Amino acid sequence: MTTAPAKPRELRDFYENPAVPVASGTPRSLRQARMLAAALHKRPAQTILDIGCGDGTAAATAAPLLSGHRLVGVDWSQDALQRARTHLTYTIRGELTGGGLPFRSGCADAVLFSEVIEHLVDPDAAMDEIRRVLRPGGHLMLSTPNLAAWYNRVLLAAGVQPVFSEVSLRGIHGRPGSEVVGHLRLYTARALREFAAASGFEVVRLAGAPFHGVPRPLRPLDRLLCSRPSLASILLLHARKKT
């Protein structure tokens, strides 16, 4: 017997659940903010949309590096936005599918898209909408877990479900960890590059970041392997909208 796939409303209920984590690690946020700050270096005030801002902690981490720019948090979860307002001056409810984001075309100079794309049913439509709201040459800073992270290669070779992958919204099966966060899609470094290019973006840089969930004894190795994005825990993509 087969079961029907989750309906959009059921997914919305999942992400509105306060028990579902809506924050990610500080090292990833800092590395991503430094990449964006370097891209915006010496430019006048820019509008940055943090799409899928969650509870706003990532934006709060990035804010000191992006002073002088207008940072707007966007999320579809009312619960997440309520928490984000303690960190962000500007927050707006919006989603990438359906009616699209509540912004005019070409209004944003940069988009932060952190740990979101792996949760989406339709990432193609999401990238189309991000491209719409970005000005020509605007920056996209996207982060997502790496399916081919160094430990996932070991786990898969041993017949263990890779970290970050999930087969259920109700529990973890066949892999280490205990939190269900709703990952639907996963990318390797090569796949992410190709996907961004096919979505109308020019890839500027692909970097790596550590994962806060790595056991403490293995964290020095995890940080070391950030220099090899194809092996890193987290992929950090800097791309620009093609003109």
Side-chain angles (χ1 to χ4, degrees):
M1 183 180 72
T2 60
T3 57
K7 299 176 182 178
R9 181 65 224 175
E10 292 169 343
L11 284 175
R12 186 184 297 273
D13 290 342
F14 175 80
Y15 289 113
E16 289 285 8
N17 182 353
V20 174
V22 291
S24 56
T26 298
R28 189 273 306 158
S29 300
L30 279 173
R31 287 176 185 239
Q32 190 174 43
R34 290 189 186 112
M35 289 172 68
L36 181 54
L40 300 178
H41 182 58
K42 294 184 178 179
R43 291 180 177 270
Q46 307 277 290
T47 296
I48 304 166
L49 303 181
D50 184 0
I51 298 177
C53 65
D55 65 1
T57 55
T61 299
L65 298 174
L66 301 171
S67 60
H69 301 299
R70 184 179 183 228
L71 189 56
V72 181
V74 185
D75 209 292
W76 77 347
S77 167
Q78 292 281 31
D79 176 74
L81 283 176
Q82 184 175 356
R83 286 183 270 173
R85 291 185 184 111
T86 64
H87 301 291
L88 289 163
T89 302
Y90 307 101
T91 58
I92 295 178
R93 190 168 194 247
E95 55 185 283
L96 289 159
T97 55
L101 295 168
F103 303 105
R104 60 179 174 81
S105 298
C107 71
D109 301 289
V111 165
L112 284 170
F113 199 44
S114 307
E115 314 299 301
V116 176
I117 200 165
E118 63 271 16
H119 299 268
L120 300 180
V121 174
D122 190 350
D124 301 282
M127 293 290 274
D128 288 344
E129 185 63 1
I130 289 172
R131 192 171 183 277
R132 181 188 70 79
V133 300
L134 276 173
R135 64 166 173 80
H139 302 275
L140 169 62
M141 297 290 176
L142 184 157
S143 70
T144 191
N146 183 9
L147 175 61
W150 60 275
Y151 42 80
N152 278 345
R153 299 183 185 214
V154 175
L155 291 173
L156 194 57
V160 179
Q161 187 82 10
V163 175
F164 308 125
S165 65
E166 296 180 342
V167 300
S168 170
L169 292 178
R170 298 179 181 178
I172 296 298
H173 305 288
R175 72 159 174 81
S178 59
E179 287 186 333
V180 179
V181 295
H183 289 174
L184 304 179
R185 300 183 182 276
L186 290 173
Y187 298 80
T188 63
R190 178 177 176 177
L192 188 60
R193 283 180 177 273
E194 292 183 5
F195 176 64
S199 300
F201 291 88
E202 176 187 358
V203 175
V204 177
R205 182 187 176 196
L206 186 67
F211 175 47
H212 61 278
V214 168
R216 189 174 298 277
L218 297 176
R219 289 179 187 176
L221 176 60
D222 192 44
R223 289 193 295 269
L224 178 65
L225 289 174
C226 288
S227 62
R228 295 281 302 276
S230 63
L231 296 173
S233 288
I234 306 294
L235 300 171
L236 301 178
L237 178 80
H238 174 200
R240 299 190 71 176
K241 175 181 175 179
K242 292 179 181 178
T243 55

